Amino acid sequence: MHKNTLVNASRQQKVEAVAEAMIRLEPNATAENIKNLTGITQPDLDKVADDARALAMSRSERVTRARIPSRRAA
């Protein structure tokens, strides 16, 4: 388990760290895995989980682009 490196972080920094962990761990993003990866405490995780989840969802959405063969794109 990591030392709580987010102890002096702002709320926004905690949200971003948890969101990045959620994206990185995607199919296995459990609370325990997130805490182990980020070093966040359970009370801090409880405070930022909803905002982090929303941020992770918005960051993981991908814009679908039409694929054009390179010969036709120029």
Side-chain angles (χ1 to χ4, degrees):
M1 183 159 170
H2 292 178
K3 180 181 166 194
N4 185 357
T5 56
L6 299 173
V7 70
N8 293 323
S10 69
R11 185 177 193 287
Q12 186 59 35
Q13 289 171 322
K14 291 176 185 178
V15 167
E16 290 179 12
V18 171
E20 289 299 320
M22 287 177 173
I23 292 168
R24 185 177 302 167
L25 296 168
E26 191 188 339
N28 301 317
T30 64
E32 284 302 313
N33 289 345
I34 292 169
K35 289 189 299 185
N36 288 336
L37 184 62
T38 63
I40 195 168
T41 63
Q42 185 64 50
D44 283 342
L45 181 59
D46 292 340
K47 291 176 188 173
V48 302
D50 290 335
D51 291 338
R53 190 176 299 110
L55 181 60
M57 290 296 289
S58 69
R59 285 186 178 176
S60 66
E61 290 176 354
R62 298 211 164 97
V63 177
T64 303
R65 296 183 181 155
R67 292 185 175 219
I68 301 172
S70 60
R71 288 172 281 156
R72 291 183 53 203

